[in-house]
Amino acid sequence: ELEATMMASSLSSSFIDANNAKPITEVFTIAFTANDIEIDFTILLALNEMTLGTIQLGSMLHTTNILPCLFSAIDKASFTGLALTVTDLVPPTMTGFLDRGIDQIMSSGATALFNMYEKALIRAMPNFFQLFVRDVINDYIDGVVSLLGKCPDTKPPMSGFVDFRDLFLDPDDALASGGSGDAPYGNVIPWIMDIIDDQLFSADESGQLSVNEL
């Protein structure tokens, strides 16, 4: 969606003197259609085995820490190759103009430009994606890895005994069962237990457990 503001020329050499005329603002949409699209890409993902091996288990017990901890072991992640080829482009369509005259002028101009440069666009598209788009995506990936690649050092309480109510149950259920309800061991194990309960120990309409169907 684009916005264009048009107004009469203020130059003294213009044929129409409309200095006091208000500018016209048009909001319109340009739609492109491409046929037979092929995308070829190669990805480099380099993991640091030493960093991966030093990740503390306590940090991985919290779902919010899983991605940051995994990202912290990434030394390099990038698209080493990205090529997009198109065999045919359909002339663009422009919609949304309030003025019919402007609509006709802009649509005719866009179609004329498209017919002039369609073949050049198709030839340039692979290099455009390989050079410009690939670099933009790689810069974004580097930013995400740098931002999220910090694994929190979270250690569960190791003194005393392990309260299985807090270990296996959701905080509300653990509190109702007499546990602390503070999720001291994270939320990954209760999440896994919920999946196991739903997939294996839930009853169907006849009262049979799902585990009996395995």
Side-chain angles (χ1 to χ4, degrees):
E1 186 174 278
L2 301 175
E3 180 178 307
T5 301
M6 296 161 282
M7 60 185 303
S9 175
S10 59
L11 298 177
S12 59
S13 58
S14 62
F15 291 100
I16 300 176
D17 185 8
N19 291 330
N20 297 325
K22 295 182 179 180
I24 299 175
T25 300
E26 294 278 1
V27 178
F28 58 96
T29 302
I30 303 178
F32 292 90
T33 302
N35 297 323
D36 298 330
I37 300 175
E38 291 186 4
I39 300 178
D40 295 321
F41 61 88
T42 54
I43 298 176
L44 169 66
L45 180 61
L47 298 177
N48 190 316
E49 292 183 0
M50 183 174 296
T51 303
L52 194 62
T54 57
I55 295 176
Q56 298 294 321
L57 178 60
S59 299
M60 299 294 287
L61 293 179
H62 298 265
T63 54
T64 55
N65 295 344
I66 293 177
L67 279 181
C69 289
L70 294 178
F71 278 22
S72 67
I74 296 178
D75 278 346
K76 185 63 177 178
S78 64
F79 281 87
T80 56
L82 178 63
L84 183 143
T85 57
V86 176
T87 59
D88 181 49
L89 291 175
V90 178
T93 57
M94 307 178 70
T95 58
F97 290 104
L98 298 177
D99 188 276
R100 185 175 300 176
I102 295 177
D103 187 359
Q104 184 176 0
I105 293 173
M106 297 293 288
S107 299
S108 301
T111 303
L113 288 173
F114 176 82
N115 292 332
M116 290 174 59
Y117 296 106
E118 177 186 8
K119 294 182 179 180
L121 286 173
I122 293 177
R123 288 196 303 268
M125 199 166 293
N127 287 335
F128 175 74
F129 274 80
Q130 175 66 20
L131 299 176
F132 178 75
V133 176
R134 181 173 64 90
D135 289 344
V136 171
I137 294 176
N138 286 338
D139 289 341
Y140 177 77
I141 292 176
D142 290 340
V144 171
V145 172
S146 298
L147 180 64
L148 298 181
K150 299 176 182 178
C151 184
D153 186 11
T154 305
K155 297 181 180 179
M158 300 302 295
S159 60
F161 57 90
V162 176
D163 193 327
F164 287 99
R165 293 167 296 188
D166 287 321
L167 181 64
F168 292 116
L169 300 178
D170 292 329
D172 292 340
D173 294 335
L175 183 62
S177 300
S180 67
D182 296 330
Y185 310 106
N187 60 349
V188 171
I189 295 179
W191 173 65
I192 295 175
M193 293 301 299
D194 286 341
I195 295 177
I196 294 175
D197 288 340
D198 291 339
Q199 298 298 322
L200 299 181
F201 301 115
S202 60
D204 56 19
E205 296 179 354
S206 62
Q208 297 294 323
L209 296 178
S210 300
V211 69
N212 294 327
E213 299 178 0
L214 298 179

